[in-house]
Amino acid sequence: MGILELNHVSKSFNGRKVLDNISIKVQEGEFVTILGPSGSGKSTLFHLIGGLSVPDEGSIMLDEKNITGKRGFISYMPQQTALFPWRSVLENVLLGQELHEKKDVEKAAAMIAKAGLSGYEEALPSELSGGMKQRVAFIRALLSPQSLICLDEPFSALDDFTRLEMHQWLLSIWEEFKRTILFVTHNIDEAMFLSDRIIVLSSNPAKIIHEVKVPFKRPRENELLLKDEFLELKKELYQAMGRA
């Protein structure tokens, strides 16, 4: 399924509140982006969802099960691709499945081909470009058995051209497989182009200060970035970010 619910989640570190009463519901197959300035607690939110940390208050539910403080229930793609340098592309892609003893080499090879990486199955990460590494990391997340994928600013290190290319590729893959995605970024254009819904966080501490349902039809093309309706929504989000 992949239905995520955060209920009144708060978290403090060393007496400083980082997250304040965060409540979010992500529906099955929905692409939701958390948008906020750097240091607004977006990554902390992912650590809580992934069970790496425990909230001071509130609960985290996935498919009606309480996963607060529990690990292994989400698939996570960090800012850096975190590929093992000694493992081939195919071996890296299979890692999530291996951890759950559900290895499917045939399906992994098909996904590698779909990502345009045919012929690179036995290549090491050092032989790949930045965009190719991102594709491998996303395939690994997609093939993991968990119903929810959390993407933590995965394109922040890419140049603008490669980033646009990766947006198109990510959407093409996601629209085919429709996994539930919670995405974190501070890039407004990226959030608007990818998402079904955008949640804006303030900082110090993070609170939900704005939420929009993205009205643009899918599939989305790069020309959308220059349309008046895109720029109007960007202005709305920019103003919300200014209040963050």
Side-chain angles (χ1 to χ4, degrees), residues 117-168:
L117 295 173
S118 292
Y120 287 92
E121 291 86 353
E122 300 306 319
L124 295 175
S126 60
E127 301 172 59
L128 307 179
S129 68
M132 293 165 76
K133 291 177 184 177
Q134 292 290 346
R135 293 183 186 214
V136 173
F138 183 68
I139 293 169
R140 179 179 61 192
L142 192 64
L143 287 175
S144 295
Q146 296 92 341
S147 59
L148 173 69
I149 301 175
C150 291
L151 305 179
D152 189 358
E153 300 194 59
F155 309 132
S156 60
L158 301 178
D159 62 80
D160 288 345
F161 181 80
T162 305
R163 182 191 288 250
L164 287 173
E165 184 181 76
M166 286 301 302
H167 290 168
Q168 287 284 13

Side-chain angles (χ1 to χ4, degrees), residues 33-73:
T33 292
I34 305 294
L35 181 66
S38 296
S40 61
K42 302 186 298 297
S43 293
T44 299
L45 200 58
F46 271 6
H47 292 162
L48 295 175
I49 295 169
L52 300 177
S53 185
V54 179
D56 301 330
E57 301 173 19
S59 63
I60 300 168
M61 310 289 291
L62 183 63
D63 299 331
E64 300 182 347
K65 296 178 182 177
N66 192 327
I67 63 167
T68 309
K70 299 178 181 178
R71 302 185 184 188
F73 287 89

Side-chain angles (χ1 to χ4, degrees), residues 163-195:
R163 182 191 288 250
L164 287 173
E165 184 181 76
M166 286 301 302
H167 290 168
Q168 287 284 13
W169 178 81
L170 173 59
L171 286 182
S172 70
I173 296 294
W174 173 75
E175 286 168 6
E176 179 175 351
F177 290 92
K178 281 294 183 181
R179 295 284 290 279
T180 306
I181 291 182
L182 188 61
F183 186 87
V184 155
T185 186
H186 58 263
N187 185 300
I188 295 176
D189 284 5
E190 183 169 73
M192 292 169 57
F193 190 78
L194 294 174
S195 312

Side-chain angles (χ1 to χ4, degrees), residues 226-238:
L226 300 176
K227 291 188 175 181
D228 289 343
E229 56 265 39
F230 189 92
L231 298 175
E232 280 298 314
L233 182 56
K234 182 176 181 178
K235 180 179 178 181
E236 178 185 336
L237 289 167
Y238 185 81

